[in-house]
Amino acid sequence: MELFVVVFCFFLPILYHPHSGRSAAATIPTTLDGPFPPVTVPLDKSFRGSAVDLPDSDPRVLPPSQMFAPEQISLSLSSRHDSVYVSWITGDYQIGDGITPLDPTSVASVVYYGVYKSNRMRRAEGSSLVYSQLYPFEGLQNYTSGIIHHVRLRGLKPKTLYYYRCGDPSIAMSDVYYFTTMPVSGPHNYPSRIAIMGDLGLTYNTTSTVDHVMGNHPDLVLLVGDVTYANLYLTNGTGSDCYSCSFPQTPIHETYQPRWDYWGRFMQPLISRVPIMVIEGNHEIEEQAENQTFVAYSSRFAFPSEESGSSSTLYYSFNAGGIHFVMLGAYTPYDKSSEQYAWLIDDLSRVNREVTPWLVATWHPPWYSTYTAHYREAECMRVEMEEVLYTYGVDIVFSGHVHAYERSNRVYNYSLDPCGPVHITVGDGGNREKMAIEHADEAGKCPDPSSTPDKFMGGFCAFNFTSGPATGKFCWDGQPEYSAYRESSFGHGILEVKNETHALWTWHRNQDAYRGAGDVIYIVRQPDKCPAKDNIVQL
């Protein structure tokens, strides 16, 4: 008996009650215990982080010494467990006036791969491309990328460790890397740990976040928008500390594309082994000549758009075991007459909750955030899409954009609802912009309604509330009842789906130990009480 007690205590995870900060490994709360009274953790002024960019001389962002050696290697999932994309870049980017794009056909796109410790090696070939970021204005430097390769590996076994090498066998191949495939979709099959990050950038805060993520050994990474913040820089590399105040005198909002290359090199140790799934944020818009947008985002990552019936890289879906992820675009039309809305209805109507019980939605700007920054900015999207997600029984929503952490009670249309999703904001990855610390419900901090529209999000939809505790007002007078927990700190989250009804969510702050958690809760589904209502929403 004594031996049993010792072993049990050794493996007991170090967790903390989200509302008290005390150790509570045996009493982790669940959403069934809610709705919880709102909690705000006071700002820790002693921990400001380090929102300073990694310099381009940092070894973690330097290019390989061998010309055309594969670099910026990453993995992403297909829509099913039996397929994975391998992406990488060969050749140097060019920036300046007299740039000549590389020929993407000059380097082959080849991956050799096989089951770990198996003698059988398979070969897959894919496609390649080069993109440019062009500015038809005097004094602005143009950019053209290295050769970007995407190769899809097919016929993979579930929950199996594979090895791979990528490159052109006649020029240079990468080192050997390893990855593990997702489990087959089913009510008892789930990835062990899914890391959720947002608004990452490439600062020393970012390095702390990514180090913590790697220490938590995820099977999958979700990045909920705002990847590199390349658009906080002039084309000469000069940086700024915020998007709205950066370089208003330039004829077009510039972007320094080499930041994408630095980011890809820095992230390679993680995302060459763990698949990353990305959805666009506002910092990926990157307008250029001929009104082109999202070119770097759409070129550098592989997306299962076509496989999931989407015609765009800006919204798509995929399965990871018994979880169906819907990745939505907040910066492309989403109204009821849009292609995205029609795709969403079709996608949700095809979800079989007997096979994928969990339904998780992701987009960049949050609908339920109580911070002054970006307050109710995505109201148009919420008005158009919230009923659809509620009707089809979305369980959890992840967003970024606001540079802080917040978890809601179950909510629908600003009211507590036991069948509404839990909304979680994780825009605290560590970027160069300031951390969000002010709340819209604080005295004098409520934004003016006229400040909320965004031209990329459908215009103006946020008005004074007509019902509930804030009737006749634009903001609550105190922390809204739908807001369960909020804290201004850098970090990331881990989602561990345990079975058809229970998922453990932990939010890890950068200043804590790897095994600690700032917020922890079991999110519990109640399919008997809150059944998904198929095919009710009509186009």
Side-chain angles (χ1 to χ4, degrees):
M1 175 63 70
E2 292 180 356
L3 178 60
F4 171 79
V5 172
V6 171
V7 173
F8 177 80
C9 292
F10 179 81
F11 285 103
L12 192 65
I14 303 173
L15 299 173
Y16 300 91
H17 192 287
H19 296 169
S20 69
R22 297 189 298 270
S23 178
T27 58
I28 297 174
T30 80
T31 51
L32 299 182
D33 302 322
F36 299 101
V39 169
T40 299
V41 176
L43 179 67
D44 182 359
K45 296 183 179 180
S46 66
F47 179 75
R48 306 296 295 183
S50 182
V52 177
D53 286 329
L54 290 186
D56 56 14
S57 59
D58 189 288
R60 291 168 289 185
V61 304
L62 292 177
S65 57
Q66 182 181 358
M67 187 66 174
F68 285 96
E71 61 159 304
Q72 304 178 51
I73 302 169
S74 67
L75 302 170
S76 57
L77 297 180
S78 179
S79 58
R80 291 168 42 89
H81 72 275
D82 57 0
S83 181
V84 166
Y85 289 96
V86 181
S87 303
W88 71 94
I89 294 180
T90 52
D92 289 338
Y93 67 79
Q94 302 169 59
I95 188 166
D97 296 326
I99 59 174
T100 302
L102 297 173
D103 177 7
T105 66
S106 64
V107 181
S109 306
V110 176
V111 176
Y112 294 111
Y113 66 103
V115 175
Y116 178 58
K117 292 187 176 179
S118 168
N119 292 326
R120 183 187 179 192
M121 179 181 291
R122 301 170 66 181
R123 174 186 170 113
E125 297 186 15
S127 60
S128 59
L129 64 108
V130 169
Y131 81 89
S132 298
Q133 188 81 12
L134 304 176
Y135 300 103
F137 304 103
E138 185 178 353
L140 275 62
Q141 300 185 55
N142 293 324
Y143 170 96
T144 184
S145 71
I147 300 171
I148 302 171
H149 307 263
H150 300 299
V151 176
R152 185 180 178 186
L153 312 185
R154 304 171 187 262
L156 305 178
K157 299 178 181 180
K159 295 188 71 173
T160 301
L161 181 64
Y162 280 83
Y163 69 90
Y164 74 95
R165 300 180 69 196
C166 61
D168 183 332
S170 67
I171 300 176
M173 295 294 291
S174 72
D175 292 334
V176 176
Y177 294 93
Y178 301 87
F179 69 90
T180 300
T181 51
M182 291 292 107
V184 173
S185 292
H188 308 297
N189 302 329
Y190 300 96
S192 296
R193 300 166 71 81
I194 302 172
I196 319 288
M197 299 184 289
D199 302 70
L200 203 53
L202 189 55
T203 69
Y204 287 100
N205 284 325
T206 308
T207 66
S208 178
T209 299
V210 174
D211 284 348
H212 276 71
V213 168
M214 296 180 72
N216 277 323
H217 305 291
D219 303 307
L220 174 64
V221 173
L222 262 62
L223 180 50
V224 296
D226 284 1
V227 180
T228 69
Y229 289 80
N231 68 346
L232 289 187
Y233 305 81
L234 292 172
T235 59
N236 64 12
T238 301
S240 179
D241 291 328
C242 73
Y243 180 82
S244 60
C245 65
S246 55
F247 325 120
Q249 71 277 12
T250 58
I252 191 171
H253 196 108
E254 300 176 45
T255 172
Y256 186 59
Q257 288 295 296
R259 299 297 303 180
W260 280 95
D261 297 285
Y262 302 163
W263 188 90
R265 293 165 187 154
F266 171 78
M267 292 293 290
Q268 179 176 305
L270 172 62
I271 61 179
S272 62
R273 295 171 171 84
V274 180
I276 184 170
M277 304 303 286
V278 183
I279 196 65
E280 83 279 0
N282 55 300
H283 285 276
E284 279 71 71
I285 295 171
E286 295 187 323
E287 183 182 0
Q288 59 167 298
E290 299 180 352
N291 295 320
Q292 291 193 69
T293 53
F294 299 106
V295 176
Y297 161 86
S298 297
S299 300
R300 289 175 178 267
F301 298 105
F303 303 92
S305 299
E306 182 177 350
E307 301 141 61
S308 61
S310 169
S311 61
S312 172
T313 60
L314 305 182
Y315 53 89
Y316 60 94
S317 67
F318 66 95
N319 290 341
I323 312 169
H324 184 72
F325 286 96
V326 179
M327 315 288 280
L328 297 178
Y331 304 95
T332 188
Y334 47 68
D335 59 272
K336 292 180 175 61
S337 63
S338 67
E339 291 185 10
Q340 180 176 197
Y341 190 91
W343 169 85
L344 176 62
I345 297 293
D346 181 68
D347 184 82
L348 294 178
S349 67
R350 295 174 185 270
V351 175
N352 184 346
R353 302 301 280 270
E354 298 296 321
V355 178
T356 53
W358 287 86
L359 184 52
V360 176
T362 296
W363 59 85
H364 184 58
W367 293 351
Y368 290 96
S369 170
T370 62
Y371 288 85
T372 300
H374 307 299
Y375 178 69
R376 300 182 69 186
E377 186 180 280
E379 190 74 356
C380 289
M381 186 182 183
R382 187 194 69 81
V383 169
E384 294 292 328
M385 287 187 160
E386 186 175 28
E387 181 182 2
V388 177
L389 301 185
Y390 180 80
T391 298
Y392 282 95
V394 168
D395 299 298
I396 312 172
V397 172
F398 291 108
S399 299
H401 201 42
V402 176
H403 301 159
Y405 174 75
E406 186 164 16
R407 171 176 54 82
S408 78
N409 287 304
R410 291 193 175 275
V411 61
Y412 172 62
N413 196 24
Y414 288 107
S415 298
L416 298 176
D417 190 311
C419 296
V422 174
H423 288 254
I424 298 175
T425 300
V426 284
D428 55 346
N431 64 81
R432 178 171 175 162
E433 292 182 310
K434 296 178 181 178
M435 181 183 294
I437 59 176
E438 296 179 345
H439 306 108
D441 47 86
E442 297 175 18
K445 302 300 183 182
C446 181
D448 188 284
S450 64
S451 67
T452 60
D454 189 302
K455 65 179 181 178
F456 293 103
M457 308 226 285
F460 184 83
C461 300
F463 305 96
N464 288 348
F465 294 101
T466 57
S467 61
T471 299
K473 301 175 182 178
F474 194 65
C475 303
W476 271 256
D477 291 331
Q479 185 174 355
E481 60 184 0
Y482 66 76
S483 175
Y485 182 93
R486 62 189 184 186
E487 181 174 356
S488 297
S489 187
F490 296 113
H492 76 282
I494 294 288
L495 180 68
E496 301 174 69
V497 177
K498 302 298 184 180
N499 53 43
E500 304 98 307
T501 59
H502 285 66
L504 180 64
W505 168 254
T506 52
W507 173 61
H508 298 265
R509 306 184 307 175
N510 283 359
Q511 65 264 43
D512 294 333
Y514 287 111
R515 298 178 65 210
D519 183 33
V520 56
I521 191 169
Y522 275 107
I523 299 173
V524 181
R525 298 181 61 245
Q526 295 181 279
D528 294 335
K529 182 177 180 179
C530 306
K533 304 173 182 64
D534 293 342
N535 303 318
I536 285 182
V537 178
Q538 302 295 325
L539 292 177

